[in-house]
Amino acid sequence: MTQDQWGTIRDELHQTMGANSFQSWIEPLKFVDAEAGIARFRVPTNFFGNYVSQTYGDMILAKITRFNPSIRRVTFDADTTSQSAAATPVSKAPQAEISEIAAPAVAVKPASLSDSLPGSPLDKRFTFDTFVVGKPNELAHAAARRVAEGGPVTFNPLFLYGGVGLGKTHLMHAIAWELRTHQPHLNVLNLSAEQFMYRFVQALRDRKMMDFKELFRSVDVLMVDDVQFIAGKDSTQEEFFHTFNALVDQHKQIIISADRAPDEIKDLENRIRSRLQSGLVVDLHPTDYELRLGILQAKSEMYARMYPGLEVERGILEFLAARIVSNVRILEGALTRLFAFASLVGKPISMDLTQECLTDILRVSERKVSIEEIQRKVADHYLIRHSDLVGPKRVRTFARPRQIAMYLCKQLTTRSLPEIGRHFGGRDHTTVMHGVRRIEELRKQDAQIAEDVELLRRSLEA
Ligand code: ADP
Ligand code: MG
C-alpha cells in the first residue's frame, strides 16, 4: 500500500464515520509501511493504539486488502523511540507492490495441511461460545453447528446469507475452530472469495495452475466467504465452479456466505447459481431487540472483565438495544467506545456519558418514531381516546397507558423528559421520570405489562 492509497482510504473513512470520530481516531494515525503482510501505523500512545485496533482495526484492514490483498494484519504501535520511523513515509512503486504481493507463496505440498493453506487466519473471538443465538439467527446457527460436527455431509453446500455485520464470518470461523478442535485430521480451508480470486490470478500468472487445482481439490472442508465478490468476474467464476464440482463429487463439505440470496446475486452464471442453491440456503435476519440486548449483555460482561471497576446498567443496555438498530458490528463498536471513553475520563458509565460518547452513532440510527405516533398506538392498544391519554384524569385506566407511552417515548425517541412532558398535557419532567421508572419496575413484576410494552415496541419499530 502506498501513502496515496492510505489517503484514499482515509477519505473514505471520513465519509463513513463522521467528523468527530475521524478526527479523534483516524487523523492521528501515521502510515509507516506495509511489508510481509502487515500494514503498520504509528499512534500517539499505547492506549490509543489498542482502542483504534479494537474499534476500527477490522474496518481499516478490510479497506487495505482491497488495494493489497496480501495484507493480513494491521498494527498500531506507539512511537516509543523517536520520530525517526514516522519521518520517512514509505512510498513504493507499483512494480514493487506486485512482487510484494507474490511473496507469501502458495504452499506447494497440499498434503502438509492446514497451517500452510492459503486461508484467512481465524479470529480467536469468533467461536460458537461467543455467538449469541436469537430468533433472527437460530436457523443459521443450527445449520452451522450441524456442519461443524463434521459428520456425513447432508447438505452441500451450506449457503449462509445476510446483511453486513450479522455474523456470517463469525459463524464460518466458529465452524472452522470446531472442526480444528474435534476433527484435526480434516483439512479445512477458510478464505474469502476475494482471496480465492487473488490466488487464482496469481497461479495463472505464475503458471502454477496445477498446484492451484491440486491444492483446492485436496481440502476436506472448503469455506468461501462473501462469494458475491466473484459476480461479474468470469474466469474466477469458472474456476470456482470447477473447484466446487470437484469437491461436491468427492462429498466434501462446502460452506459459502454472501450478502444476499443466490438468486439475487447479479452477474453470476446460472449454473453456479443453481449449484449454490442445491444445498441448504439459510439467511441471517436483521437483529431484533432481544438479540441486540443479548449481544450487548454478553459483550459488556466481557468488557467488565477487561476494565475492572466499570460496568453498564441494564437500563443503558436496553437503551442501546432499542436505539442502535443497525448491525452487530456497530453495536460492538458502540460498547467498545463506551468502555474506552469511560475509562479514559475515569467516570462511571451513566446515561449522560453514553449519550455524549455515542452521539454520532445514536444520531445515525435515530428512528423516525415520533411522540405522536407512540401516543396514537398506545391509545389504540388500550382502546382509550388520545385526549384521555394526555389529559389530566388520574384513574388507572388512563394513567397506566400514559406511563407506558412516556416510557416508550423515552426509549424510542431522543426527546428529553421536559419535551416529553410537554406532549403529555404540559406535565412536569419529574412526572415523566416517575412514569418511566414505574414501568421499568412493572415490566419485571407484571407479565401482562411486559407483554404490552413488548408488543407496542415491536409494532412501533416495524
Ligand atoms: P458479517 O460477516 O455477516 O458481515 P461478522 O461475522 O463479521 O459479520 O460480524 C460482525 C461482528 O459482529 C463480529 O465482531 C461478530 O463477532 C459480531 N457478531 C455478529 N453476530 C453476533 C452474534 N450473534 N453474537 C455475538 N457476536 C456477533
Ligand atoms: Mg463477513
Side-chain angles (χ1 to χ4, degrees), residues 101-136:
I101 288 175
V106 176
V108 254
K109 269 235 193 94
S112 66
L113 299 190
S114 28
D115 285 340
S116 56
L117 284 168
S120 319
L122 294 181
D123 192 313
K124 280 200 290 298
R125 298 164 305 164
F126 293 178
T127 61
F128 281 118
D129 286 347
T130 58
F131 192 82
V132 181
V133 185
K135 268 260 146 33

Side-chain angles (χ1 to χ4, degrees), residues 126 130-132 137 163-170 291 295 299 328-329 332:
F126 293 178
T130 58
F131 192 82
V132 181
N137 60 22
V164 63
L166 295 182
K168 302 181 294 292
T169 300
H170 188 136
L291 179 59
I295 291 172
K299 309 258 169 194
V328 182
R329 200 169 291 149
E332 281 184 336

Side-chain angles (χ1 to χ4, degrees), residues 50 194 270 343 460:
N50 287 339
E194 195 171 356
N270 276 331
S343 89
L460 283 161

Side-chain angles (χ1 to χ4, degrees), residues 415-435:
R415 304 305 191 85
S416 64
L417 293 174
E419 271 179 291
I420 296 173
R422 271 198 291 285
H423 282 78
F424 284 82
R427 283 179 161 80
D428 191 69
H429 77 275
T430 53
T431 312
V432 180
M433 195 158 68
H434 171 77

Side-chain angles (χ1 to χ4, degrees), residues 272-373:
I272 296 186
R273 199 189 305 279
S274 64
R275 264 300 195 177
L276 292 177
Q277 284 165 326
S278 63
L280 178 68
V281 179
V282 275
D283 59 342
L284 290 135
H285 297 274
T287 59
D288 61 11
Y289 174 81
E290 287 79 7
L291 179 59
R292 290 195 294 272
L293 189 58
I295 291 172
L296 285 168
Q297 257 158 354
K299 309 258 169 194
S300 64
E301 278 163 24
M302 189 190 81
Y303 279 118
R305 284 193 295 273
M306 274 167 55
Y307 294 89
L310 275 183
E311 54 182 16
V312 218
E313 285 167 28
R314 193 180 160 91
I316 291 178
L317 296 181
E318 286 175 357
F319 168 77
L320 294 176
R323 284 291 301 283
I324 305 179
V325 291
S326 49
N327 68 54
V328 182
R329 200 169 291 149
I330 309 267
L331 212 57
E332 281 184 336
L335 214 51
T336 312
R337 189 178 334 156
L338 195 56
F339 274 90
F341 188 76
S343 89
L344 202 57
V345 297
K347 286 187 190 161
I349 300 177
S350 64
M351 195 64 164
D352 282 347
L353 184 122
T354 304
Q355 288 185 332
E356 182 193 338
C357 160
L358 302 177
T359 338
D360 52 340
I361 297 178
L362 294 171
R363 196 168 39 227
V364 176
S365 42
E366 195 163 314
R367 280 196 314 279
K368 311 284 177 302
V369 184
S370 66
I371 294 185
E372 289 75 15
E373 210 177 324

